[in-house]
Amino acid sequence: MRIALFEPEIAGNVGAVLRLCACFGAAVDLIEPMGFLWDDRRVRRAAMDYIDHVSVTRHASFEAFKATIGPARLVLFTTKTDQSAYGFSYRPDDVLIFGKESAGVPAQVSDACQARVRIPMRAEVRSMNLATSAALALGEALRQTGTLPG
């Protein structure tokens, strides 16, 4: 299972997702452009030494990323659907994709995804933090597929 971040803007969020994926054994795809320099010390600070335990692939564009995933299914996490992330059936080779913090993903990216799911939350709030959303999503997907580590 993989986590893909579409044009992430905040280094600390990317660092936290790298640490999350190191702990769960999931690869990370970063779809550029990013809103910070990759060598930004905040990424390393958030990921700490866990960055050495996660497979990270950077892609110059969504099209370049899409060309690498083969038959894997793209599951978009978005606030623009009614399908609950907890009522969805995940597969072990799914790629869980998250949009940029300020704007999500454009329509052409959403249209390229085979599924769109939403983490249920109170109507009074707009959205969760990217790293928190990734943690909830990856935990549920791994639980469902029986692929949680140790």
Side-chain angles (χ1 to χ4, degrees):
M1 194 161 297
R2 294 159 63 176
I3 296 280
L5 302 179
F6 177 82
E7 299 182 1
E9 299 166 316
I10 300 171
N13 284 338
V14 172
V17 170
L18 294 178
R19 184 174 180 176
L20 167 76
C21 290
C23 290
F24 279 128
V28 178
D29 292 280
L30 300 175
I31 303 163
E32 298 182 358
M34 294 187 283
F36 55 92
L37 295 175
W38 175 245
D39 62 354
D40 187 19
R41 63 181 167 75
R42 290 174 293 178
V43 174
R44 184 159 281 283
R45 187 177 80 203
M48 300 190 325
D49 58 333
Y50 294 85
I51 201 166
D52 298 326
H53 300 279
V54 62
S55 172
V56 180
T57 306
R58 292 171 57 193
H59 306 275
S61 66
F62 180 73
E63 293 74 25
F65 158 72
K66 188 108 165 65
T68 69
I69 64 169
R73 185 173 60 169
L74 279 176
V75 180
L76 175 63
F77 283 76
T78 177
T79 58
K80 298 176 178 125
T81 186
D82 291 329
Q83 171 66 53
S84 171
Y86 299 107
F88 183 76
S89 294
Y90 297 92
R91 299 178 191 157
D93 66 338
D94 280 341
V95 179
L96 311 180
I97 184 168
F98 297 83
K100 66 171 80 179
E101 292 92 337
S102 66
V105 298
Q108 73 266 20
V109 171
S110 179
D111 292 345
C113 296
Q114 289 76 31
R116 287 160 219 59
V117 298
R118 174 185 178 98
I119 298 172
M121 65 186 103
R122 294 174 43 218
E124 299 85 30
V125 295
R126 189 181 73 230
S127 64
M128 290 184 193
N129 171 273
L130 173 64
T132 302
S133 296
L136 290 169
L138 185 58
E140 175 62 11
L142 294 175
R143 182 195 68 79
Q144 276 191 28
T145 58
T147 54
L148 277 166

